[in-house]
Amino acid sequence: MASKKMVSKNQIFRALGLKSRLKGANCGGEWFADSKDYITSVNPTTGEVLARIEQASAKDYDKVMKEARKAFLEFRNMPAPLRGEIVRQVGEALREKKDMLGALVSLEMGKIYTEGLGEVQEMIDICDFAVGLSRTLSGPTLQSERPKHRMMEQWHPLGVVGVISAFNFPVAVWAWNTALAWVCGDSSLWKPSSKTPLCAIACQNIVNEVFKANGLPQGVSCVTIGRGATIGEKLVGDHNIPLVSATGSTRMGQRIGAVVGGRLGRTILELGGNNAIIISEKADLKGALASAFFGAVGTAGQRCTSTRRLIIQEKVFDTFVRKLIANYKRVVIGNPLDPKTLMGPLIDEGAVADYENAIKAAKEQGGKVLYGGKVLKPFGAATFVQPTIIEIENKAQIVQDETFAPILYVMKYKKIAQAFKLHNDVPQGLSSAIYTDSVNEGEAFISYLGSDCGIANINIGTSGAEIGGAFGGEKETGGGRESGSDSWKLYMRRQTNTINWGGEVHLAQGVEFKS
Ligand code: UN1
C-alpha cells in the first residue's frame, strides 16, 4: 500500500516548523494560547492524531486584535507597490515550500497530492496577481458639472480583514483574501477551520519569516485557531473588523451575514453550491466525460464547486452514464499521498454519516443508485466511501441540498429550455457549465436567460476555477466575490473627491445661495 515516493509526516513537520504540541494564536512573534482547551489535528486517512493544539481563548483574541489594529495603522503608510513587493516574497517562499505544503494539505485534509500541490499553486498565483495589482489599484477621474472642478475616486486601506476559511481549501482561500488585503494596506486575522489547524500554522510560519526579514510590524498577518462559539463569534461581532470574508455552509453564512450586517459591516460570503453540468446531445461527449468525472470525484466531492448534478439530454443519457460508470469503477481509493490514488478519504466520520444519510434519503425519494453507495475501510478509519451516481429527479429534496461528498445526481431532459429550468431550480448559485457544440445553446446558457450562477462555463467543468476571475455565487451561495478581477475593491474604502481649482464656489444642481 505505501509507495516509496510518499513523503512522511516527520519530513512535512520538519520542513514547515510543526510539532506534536502547538498553540493556536499568533500575530507575528511566538505562538501563544492560554485557554487550556485543546483540539487535535487528525489524519483523515488513518485516524492518527497528528498534533494537539491549545486553542486561542477570548483573551488571546483580544491580544491578537490589538496587534492587528496597531499593525494596520502602521502598514497603511507603506506605499502599495512596496506592500506588493512583500507579497511577491511570500509567493517566492510558497514556491520554495510548495512540495511540503502541498503534502501537508494532503495529510491533514485528505485531498490527493496533485490537488494539494494545485492548491498551493493557487496561493502562488494569487500572490503574483496581487503583486501586479499593487501598482494598478486605481479609481477613475470623473467629469464635474461645475467649472474648473475635477472629481475622482480614491481607494484607501480598510482596516483589519477577518478571514474564516473551511477545511476543504485549507490554504488557498486564505491566500485569496490575504494577498489582496495586504496589497490593499489591510492587516488580516484568520480563523481557519478547526479540522485543518496545521495548514494554518504552517502558512503563518512561512509568512512570519518573510515579514520579519522585511522588518514589518507584528500583526499584519494574524491567526486565531479556536472555537466558533468563542473566537468565531467574537470575530464576526467585532467592530474593529470592517470586512469578514467567510467560506462555509449556508447556515454558517446566514449567521455571519446577520451579525456582521447587524453592525453594518461588510461581508464576502462563499457558501454552498449545487453545481450542475448540462450535457447536450450536441456535445463532445469525451470532454464532457472528463469534466464531469473530475468535477464529481475530484477532492472526493468536497469542493464548493464540485459537480453535484448532471442534466443530460435523453438521447445521450444511457451512453454517457455507462461511460461514466466505467470511469468510476477504475477510481483508486486510498492514501491521498500515494501517487496511484485518485480519491482520498472524506474529512471525518461526520462527513461519512452525511454521505450515508443522503443516499438513504435519495432512495426514499425515488432515486436509483447506479453506482457506489458504500462505505469502505481500506485502513481501518471509516472515512472512505465509494463515489456514487444516483438517478433521481431534480425536485427531490435531497437534490436541493448540498451534501459535501462524492454523490452525483443524474437526470434527463428533452429540450434545452427544460434543462435550463432544471439547472436553476435549486436554492444555490455558485458554479455551472454546459457541454455543447451549439453556439446558440452555449450563448443562451451564459446569457441572462441561462445560468443564474456566479460562474457559468461552456465546454469546461464546474470546478477548478482560475484565480484571475471573480469567485463567488448568487442566491444561497451568499453573493460575495473574492480572488481575481476587481474583487480587491471590497478590501478597500472608496472615497469620492471633488476638487475646485478655479477659486469660485459653484453649487451643484445650479442651486443659488447668496445673502
Ligand atoms: C472551494 O471549494 O471553496 O474553483 C474553493 C475551484 C477552486 C476553489 C474552490 N479553485 O474548484
Side-chain angles (χ1 to χ4, degrees):
M1 131 196 135
S3 124
K4 270 191 210 122
K5 283 195 203 121
M6 269 198 280
V7 57
S8 74
K9 173 197 147 185
N10 288 345
Q11 283 172 301
I12 298 171
F13 269 44
R14 221 173 304 123
L16 300 172
L18 300 172
K19 297 191 191 92
S20 57
R21 294 252 182 289
L22 293 157
K23 288 181 184 282
N26 187 276
C27 42
E30 292 299 309
W31 289 86
F32 59 94
D34 76 347
S35 66
K36 307 280 176 294
D37 181 11
Y38 298 86
I39 50 164
T40 49
S41 161
V42 176
N43 178 349
T45 303
T46 58
E48 173 205 6
V49 171
L50 296 168
R52 189 159 172 259
I53 297 109
E54 184 170 1
Q55 304 194 85
S57 64
K59 226 173 83 206
D60 296 325
Y61 174 92
D62 292 338
K63 198 168 149 191
V64 168
M65 176 45 75
K66 210 170 138 209
E67 290 299 326
R69 274 294 304 162
K70 230 169 66 197
F72 166 66
L73 298 176
E74 202 181 323
F75 191 48
R76 65 181 179 173
N77 290 315
M78 189 180 220
L82 301 191
R83 299 193 296 254
E85 164 56 19
I86 307 290
V87 172
R88 188 193 66 76
Q89 292 177 35
V90 171
E92 285 300 298
L94 289 169
R95 277 184 177 88
E96 266 170 44
K97 298 259 159 94
K98 180 176 171 184
D99 290 0
M100 284 301 173
L101 193 54
L104 176 65
V105 170
S106 255
L107 182 74
E108 193 180 36
M109 183 274 160
K111 64 178 69 174
I112 57 172
Y113 186 43
T114 175
E115 292 195 70
L117 290 174
E119 185 168 351
V120 181
Q121 188 58 46
E122 279 202 45
M123 305 175 82
I124 294 168
D125 293 343
I126 195 75
C127 285
D128 287 352
F129 179 89
V131 176
L133 199 58
S134 72
R135 288 187 185 267
T136 55
L137 299 167
S138 60
T141 292
L142 303 151
Q143 299 303 322
S144 170
E145 69 188 53
R146 293 177 272 205
K148 297 188 175 169
H149 281 58
R150 183 168 70 86
M151 288 204 296
M152 65 174 189
E153 274 182 14
Q154 291 192 91
W155 293 89
H156 296 309
L158 186 65
V160 184
V161 172
V163 182
I164 298 175
S165 63
F167 78 86
N168 67 324
F169 271 80
V171 296
V173 174
W174 166 75
W176 291 356
N177 284 282
T178 49
L180 296 194
W182 295 335
V183 295
C184 290
D186 303 327
S187 55
S188 60
L189 173 53
W190 183 15
K191 186 207 168 296
S193 162
S194 298
K195 293 173 186 177
T196 50
L198 297 182
C199 286
I201 294 173
C203 287
Q204 177 75 356
N205 286 344
I206 292 170
V207 166
N208 278 349
E209 274 185 36
V210 175
F211 282 20
K212 202 170 153 213
N214 285 278
L216 283 193
Q218 255 200 206
V220 175
S221 175
C222 301
V223 181
T224 47
I225 296 164
R227 288 184 186 278
T230 44
I231 300 302
E233 288 295 325
K234 263 188 96 82
L235 191 157
V236 296
D238 194 339
H239 285 264
N240 288 311
I241 300 192
L243 166 66
V244 176
S245 175
T247 305
S249 66
T250 294
R251 235 180 82 203
M252 181 201 87
Q254 280 161 337
R255 167 84 191 143
I256 294 174
V259 177
V260 180
R263 62 176 174 87
L264 300 180
R266 211 182 270 180
T267 50
I268 298 174
L269 298 173
E270 200 250 287
L271 313 172
N274 197 341
N275 320 298
I277 307 179
I278 295 175
I279 297 166
S280 159
E281 76 281 21
K282 297 164 192 158
D284 156 27
L285 291 185
K286 221 170 126 209
L289 193 65
S291 289
F293 183 52
F294 174 64
V297 179
T299 334
Q302 299 173 108
R303 288 190 189 220
C304 296
T305 51
S306 287
T307 307
R308 312 237 171 258
R309 298 177 294 143
L310 293 183
I311 303 164
I312 311 172
Q313 212 284 336
E314 61 179 7
K315 283 185 225 139
V316 290
F317 183 91
D318 289 341
T319 322
F320 189 84
V321 171
R322 200 178 58 244
K323 287 188 175 159
L324 192 61
I325 291 174
N327 272 4
Y328 270 54
K329 283 186 179 155
R330 288 193 293 268
V331 173
V332 178
I333 299 169
N335 187 332
L337 281 166
D338 188 327
K340 291 195 295 293
T341 300
L342 208 58
M343 197 179 101
L346 294 186
I347 187 66
D348 56 21
E349 290 181 12
V352 174
D354 289 346
Y355 164 89
E356 288 185 290
N357 290 336
I359 292 168
K360 191 163 159 267
K363 283 183 189 158
E364 283 163 10
Q365 292 165 23
K368 196 171 140 211
V369 177
L370 303 182
Y371 182 80
K374 289 192 195 68
V375 176
L376 306 170
K377 284 196 180 180
F379 305 108
T383 45
F384 289 85
V385 300
Q386 282 181 312
T388 299
I389 303 173
I390 300 177
E391 185 175 356
I392 190 165
E393 284 195 49
N394 193 64
K395 64 175 189 286
Q397 183 51 49
I398 193 64
V399 179
Q400 299 285 311
D401 299 336
E402 180 193 46
T403 303
F404 230 52
I407 302 173
L408 179 65
Y409 301 118
V410 295
M411 56 202 77
K412 288 180 191 147
Y413 77 88
K414 281 190 207 303
K415 294 239 164 72
I416 198 72
Q418 184 202 358
F420 286 12
K421 194 165 177 307
L422 288 172
H423 178 275
N424 289 350
D425 200 5
V426 289
Q428 309 83 351
L430 179 56
S431 186
S432 61
I434 188 167
Y435 255 89
T436 182
D437 282 343
S438 152
V439 173
N440 290 356
E441 282 184 352
E443 287 283 346
F445 184 69
I446 60 169
S447 80
Y448 60 96
L449 294 172
S451 167
D452 61 3
C453 292
I455 298 168
N457 299 330
I458 302 174
N459 294 343
I460 185 171
T462 61
S463 66
E466 300 171 27
I467 60 93
F471 186 90
E474 303 297 329
K475 304 196 292 189
E476 285 190 4
T477 301
R481 295 292 185 278
E482 52 194 348
S483 193
S485 186
D486 64 352
S487 306
W488 62 269
K489 290 181 173 170
L490 286 161
Y491 300 78
M492 298 199 91
R493 176 164 69 76
R494 184 198 301 242
Q495 188 176 68
T496 304
N497 310 119
T498 308
I499 302 146
N500 174 1
W501 56 273
E504 264 179 52
V505 173
H506 295 271
L507 300 180
Q509 297 91 39
V511 173
E512 297 282 350
F513 202 77
K514 276 183 193 140
S515 61

